[in-house]
Amino acid sequence: MEPIEIFKALSNESRLQILHWLKDPEKHFTPHEGIDMRKIGVCVCQITDTLKMTQSTTSQYLSILQRAGLVTAERIGKYTYFKRNEEAIREIGAFFNNEM
């Protein structure tokens, strides 16, 4: 875990919003092509539509979250699906409890 990269990733309201939506994907998205959103994740196209931003911007935000280890990606066919990395998010909480 690189705390600086995580803090950079969390320093943007839209990226925080994405993490919030991915915490409870059924509440914020409709399953894409029958994909189990809890197991596989949410399609980039759905996140783009919900953010009301371009796919380029959404992809950049997801890339930053992925480099920080906060989300994981799985490619199925021509689509990429993202979900939260719950273990990494728990580690952030532990970091605050132990380091701050």
Side-chain angles (χ1 to χ4, degrees):
M1 181 175 86
E2 293 292 327
I4 296 299
E5 290 305 312
I6 291 169
F7 296 141
K8 286 179 186 177
L10 296 175
S11 69
N12 175 281
E13 187 175 345
S14 295
R15 291 191 294 263
L16 284 171
Q17 187 66 60
I18 291 168
L19 286 174
H20 172 74
W21 291 333
L22 293 178
K23 182 177 184 180
D24 191 7
E26 293 89 358
K27 184 176 178 181
H28 303 284
F29 304 100
T30 303
H32 182 257
E33 299 192 356
I35 296 291
D36 181 342
M37 292 184 291
R38 289 266 177 210
K39 184 177 178 185
I40 305 297
V42 176
C43 182
V44 173
C45 59
Q46 295 172 280
I47 298 169
T48 298
D49 291 344
T50 305
L51 267 180
K52 296 177 178 47
M53 293 186 178
T54 65
Q55 180 160 352
S56 173
T57 300
T58 301
S59 293
Q60 181 182 22
Y61 286 170
L62 289 165
S63 177
I64 290 167
L65 290 169
Q66 187 176 19
R67 279 195 309 270
L70 298 171
V71 298
T72 60
E74 182 170 343
R75 186 153 181 92
I76 299 175
K78 64 180 181 176
Y79 299 104
T80 303
Y81 297 86
F82 286 85
K83 67 179 181 177
R84 285 170 40 127
N85 181 345
E86 296 298 338
E87 183 179 331
I89 291 170
R90 280 191 296 277
E91 286 178 16
I92 295 167
F95 172 81
F96 277 109
N97 285 332
N98 296 326
E99 301 295 325
M100 298 290 164

